[in-house]
Amino acid sequence: MTGPDYRVEARGVLEAAGKALAAESARFAGIGWMRGTSGNLSIVLNRNPLRLAVTVSGLDKGELTSADVVVVDEYGRAVEEQPRPDLIPSAEAELHARVASLSGAGAVVHVHALQAVLAGHWWPDGIELRDLEMLKGIGRLAHDETVAIPVVPNSQDMKVLGDDVAKVFDPGVPAVVVARHGMYAWGRDLLQARHHTEIVEFLLQFKVETR
């Protein structure tokens, strides 16, 4: 969508986004990457002004419905023009918006995959990967190229965390690890964001298990 007034025409779009986010959340919860109520997903609804549908805070990610989403602005704040303005977005919605703005992504995934936490612990200055076939899945070469997944320190202040992500942002790497927390990955749409999440987690698992 391109215009600022999406209150009527976007109702169907928001419902579809909520359905997709609920399905992907259940998928990630099922493999143990969104334990408890952790993690959050988002889809970009509008670029100018920036609007994202973000999963709500405090719910089991394996049991979301299409209604369990909040529309937020570029600062991660819930906007008034939506069906359920009373819902509370994830505290990390601001970082979703920052990543979408930096990368131009259409969707952002945040999971608490253990391999990402371990890799961030062992390589806090960045996780270097090389000569792995799965690197092709994030658009890089399988051989003769070193790819570094950035790592940033954790913070409860999303402005600080967003600034740190911006400092290490690499347009050729669709993911970042937040130390002792988890990882963010993104893509042109939710399907590609899921694929990037799965592939990066595989690469990080290889790195950890061959340390």
Side-chain angles (χ1 to χ4, degrees):
M1 301 184 63
T2 57
D5 185 7
Y6 58 87
R7 283 172 291 184
V8 176
E9 63 269 29
R11 190 173 293 273
V13 174
L14 181 58
E15 184 176 356
K19 184 177 180 180
L21 290 169
E24 289 300 320
S25 293
R27 181 188 183 94
F28 287 126
I31 56 178
W33 294 355
M34 300 182 91
R35 296 178 185 273
T37 63
S38 68
N40 30 73
L41 311 179
S42 66
I43 291 177
V44 173
L45 300 174
N46 198 73
R47 289 287 175 191
N48 185 24
L50 184 62
R51 297 288 185 266
L52 298 89
V54 183
T55 50
V56 298
S57 178
L59 295 184
D60 188 319
K61 298 307 186 297
E63 299 178 354
L64 298 183
T65 71
S66 61
D68 294 324
V69 294
V70 188
V71 181
V72 302
D73 63 15
E74 67 270 29
Y75 302 107
R77 302 174 302 199
V79 301
E80 294 182 1
E81 304 88 356
Q82 59 180 306
R84 292 286 307 279
D86 57 304
L87 293 177
I88 300 174
S90 165
E92 293 153 332
E94 182 178 350
L95 188 55
H96 280 253
R98 189 73 176 271
V99 168
S101 180
L102 281 169
S103 65
V108 181
V109 169
H110 170 48
V111 293
H112 290 194
L114 180 58
Q115 301 302 331
V117 178
L118 291 172
H121 172 75
W122 290 115
W123 297 280
D125 297 321
I127 304 153
E128 293 190 348
L129 302 159
R130 185 180 178 87
D131 296 332
L132 290 162
E133 187 72 15
M134 286 287 271
L135 284 167
K136 291 159 60 175
I138 59 170
R140 304 304 291 262
L141 298 177
H143 303 285
D144 304 322
E145 179 185 28
T146 298
V147 178
I149 307 296
V151 179
V152 297
N154 192 25
S155 175
Q156 302 308 305
D157 185 325
M158 291 302 109
K159 175 66 166 60
V160 170
L161 193 51
D163 288 346
D164 286 342
V165 169
K167 290 173 186 175
V168 300
F169 175 73
D170 180 346
V173 178
V176 62
V177 168
V178 180
R180 294 182 175 269
H181 185 159
M183 64 177 282
Y184 285 79
W186 50 89
R188 62 177 175 270
D189 53 28
L190 192 55
L191 180 61
Q192 188 182 57
R194 180 223 291 173
H195 289 166
H196 286 165
T197 304
E198 293 173 339
I199 289 164
V200 170
E201 194 278 341
F202 173 93
L203 293 167
L204 297 180
Q205 183 173 356
F206 173 86
K207 183 76 171 181
V208 168
E209 294 193 8
T210 59
R211 181 176 63 90

